[in-house]
């Protein structure tokens, strides 16, 4: 069966991680791995990152965090921040997963599970700094912190971190969010906890806004080489994945390639240019299971067309393609279905 391939470079992944770590130091990297490592596949990525010395992994949900934990052999830390069921909370506590907590209701359930297991939960309290997406409002913060502190006193919980997520809509808004964040950290300290881990920034703000970085930076996109849509190129960072698609047949001067919208390639990408052995050519059409590329002299079945990648054959990055259709690079990569074979090189 002829299938498209997402070829992924371990070396480039390590290069990107190193570039991010250099850039954000002394803030430590938490490598974010949601959505199956942004569509690149979780297993190899966890192993490679651990081998490169990454000490913090961000799983988004507990299920992903547990998969990461199973792949690790050392004492690296793993954080899951999506609100979850009691069963999953218990699993997380048994496997030393740190929990991000953004509602009082979730806090109470985590405390109850920790109590019944006789475990101490490691929690990162989340303040809502304006994004309105899972996080305790400043008006409710003191009460929330008092509950966490009481559980800390009782030995069922340890407040190891305080965190939030920035809207990244504008610098002034992010500055304001930081003020709300720092006031929340103060309140936690006044209540008697000593959280060491303060984290506010994801890829873009970690890279471009050093004054907003905490002791940890939660970075996903840039480690995979996905720059921000409408953002500049990044020094030392390149896409780690190349979407390489074989020509299945030649039809009236066009090359028919083995990928279509059912494989997750947005049909709205028709009109972009893709990398062929003879340079850039127009992607004329995206159909259900195949697509049509303007041909080149000597083309034959088996030739590889690069739809996206770091640019070695002229192909454009996922973000550059995403900008053409009003989305972000992550969206294009995470939508590629499992029929797109992931090959790690
Ligand atoms: C996805 C996510 C990140 C990572 O964002 P990137 O822009 O990919 O670096 C960080 N924090 C939270 C809460 C996230 O959901």
């Amino acid at each position: 069966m002829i299938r498209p391939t997402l070829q992924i470079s371990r070396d480039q992944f390590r290069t990107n991680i190193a570039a991010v770590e250099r850039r954000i130091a002394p803030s430590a990297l938490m490598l974010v791995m949601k959505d199956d490592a942004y569509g690149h596949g979780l297993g190899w990525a966890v192993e490679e990152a651990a081998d490169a010395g990454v000490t913090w992994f961000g799983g988004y949900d507990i299920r992903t965090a547990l998969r990461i934990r199973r792949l690790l052999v050392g004492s690296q830390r793993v954080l899951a921040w999506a609100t979850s069921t009691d069963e999953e909370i218990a699993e997380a506590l048994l496997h030393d997963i740190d929990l991000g907590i953004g509602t009082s209701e979730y806090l109470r359930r985590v405390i109850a599970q920790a109590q019944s297991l006789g475990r101490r939960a490691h929690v990162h309290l989340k303040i809502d700094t304006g994004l309105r997406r899972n996080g305790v409002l400043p008006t409710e913060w003191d009460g929330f912190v008092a509950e966490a502190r009481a559980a800390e006193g009782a030995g069922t919980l340890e407040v190891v971190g305080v965190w939030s997520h920035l809207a990244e809509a504008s610098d002034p808004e992010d500055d304001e969010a930081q003020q709300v964040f720092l006031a929340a950290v103060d309140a936690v300290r006044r209540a008697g906890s000593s959280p060491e881990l303060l984290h506010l920034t994801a890829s873009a703000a970690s890279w471009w806004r050093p004054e907003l970085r905490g002791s940890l930076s939660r970075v996903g996109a840039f480690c995979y080489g996905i720059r921000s849509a409408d953002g500049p190129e990044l020094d030392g960072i390149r896409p780690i994945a190349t979407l390489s698609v074989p020509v299945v047949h030649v039809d009236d001067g066009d090359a028919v390639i083995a990928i279509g919208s059912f494989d997750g390639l947005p049909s709205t990408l028709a009109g972009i240019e893709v990398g062929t052995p003879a340079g850039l050519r127009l992607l004329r059409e995206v159909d259900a299971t195949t697509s049509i590329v303007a041909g080149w002299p000597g083309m034959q079945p088996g030739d590889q067309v690069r739809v996206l990648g770091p640019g070695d054959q002229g192909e454009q990055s996922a973000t550059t393609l995403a900008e053409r259709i009003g989305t972000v690079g992550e969206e294009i990569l995470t939508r590629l279905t499992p029929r797109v074979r992931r090959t790690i090189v």
Side-chain angles (χ1 to χ4, degrees):
M1 195 172 45
I2 297 174
R3 286 167 60 180
T5 304
L6 196 66
Q7 284 161 0
I8 298 164
S9 163
R10 285 181 189 272
D11 283 353
Q12 191 60 53
F13 186 47
R14 286 179 86 123
T15 300
N16 293 349
I17 287 173
V20 167
E21 287 180 326
R22 266 198 311 278
R23 179 96 178 186
I24 68 176
S27 181
L29 168 66
M30 177 188 290
L31 178 63
V32 176
M33 314 203 80
K34 63 189 175 205
D35 293 324
D36 204 28
Y38 291 54
H40 297 81
L42 190 72
W44 74 272
V46 171
E47 284 166 11
E48 196 67 32
D51 195 55
V54 171
T55 53
W56 272 98
F57 292 82
Y60 175 65
D61 56 358
I62 289 177
R63 201 174 288 250
T64 303
L66 289 166
R67 280 182 65 202
I68 294 171
R69 173 60 77 213
R70 279 194 288 275
L71 290 159
L72 291 170
V73 286
S75 56
Q76 297 92 343
R77 310 270 299 265
V78 185
L79 174 70
W81 58 83
T83 300
S84 189
T85 61
D86 291 347
E87 290 73 19
E88 283 194 344
I89 294 169
E91 277 289 292
L93 296 177
L94 289 171
H95 292 93
D96 291 322
I97 305 295
D98 284 38
L99 295 172
I101 307 212
T103 70
S104 295
E105 188 268 342
Y106 192 45
L107 176 65
R108 287 174 202 142
R109 290 200 289 116
V110 169
I111 292 170
Q113 290 303 314
Q115 246 161 6
S116 76
L117 290 169
R119 290 243 163 186
R120 186 163 15 189
H122 288 153
V123 302
H124 302 230
L125 304 181
K126 184 176 186 192
I127 175 86
D128 181 342
T129 49
L131 198 59
R132 302 285 174 273
R133 196 173 71 198
N134 184 291
V136 173
L137 290 169
T139 49
E140 287 157 21
W141 185 249
D142 287 349
F144 174 69
V145 168
E147 269 188 67
R149 180 65 192 143
E152 201 167 39
T156 49
L157 178 149
E158 191 178 338
V159 178
V160 296
V162 180
W163 70 296
S164 188
H165 198 43
L166 291 171
E168 292 186 350
S170 74
D171 284 357
E173 268 179 74
D174 289 349
D175 291 339
E176 239 174 84
Q178 185 191 28
Q179 293 313 309
V180 175
F181 178 69
L182 293 175
V185 173
D186 276 347
V188 172
R189 294 205 169 116
R190 275 199 311 276
S193 298
S194 13
E196 299 158 58
L197 304 159
L198 307 181
H199 45 115
L200 182 59
T201 54
S203 283
S206 296
W207 189 270
W208 300 110
R209 304 287 319 273
E211 62 284 8
L212 300 185
R213 281 179 213 137
S215 51
L216 263 184
S217 299
R218 303 182 309 271
V219 178
F222 287 9
C223 290
Y224 306 94
I226 306 166
R227 73 174 164 83
S228 308
D230 303 316
E233 296 292 334
L234 306 161
D235 257 354
I237 298 230
R238 299 179 86 211
I240 67 170
T242 304
L243 179 56
S244 199
V245 186
V247 173
V248 278
H249 61 100
V250 167
D251 181 19
D252 199 19
D254 286 335
V256 178
I257 62 171
I259 192 168
S261 56
F262 292 171
D263 301 305
L265 191 71
S267 54
T268 44
L269 283 178
I272 62 155
E273 288 190 303
V274 292
T276 76
L280 286 174
R281 289 290 185 280
L282 186 69
L283 178 71
R284 292 191 197 282
E285 256 179 63
V286 177
D287 300 324
T289 57
T290 55
S291 296
I292 298 173
V293 177
W296 57 93
M299 64 184 163
Q300 359 181 334
D303 284 356
Q304 297 288 325
V305 170
R306 296 187 174 188
V307 173
L308 60 83
D312 295 340
Q313 199 170 280
E315 77 281 357
Q316 308 179 81
S317 71
T319 300
T320 304
L321 300 189
E323 286 166 346
R324 293 284 306 268
I325 59 170
T327 182
V328 294
E330 294 88 317
E331 175 81 12
I332 293 187
L333 286 158
T334 56
R335 276 182 46 156
L336 295 174
T337 70
R339 209 182 76 85
V340 178
R341 193 197 316 267
R342 270 67 172 175
T343 310
I344 318 302
V345 294

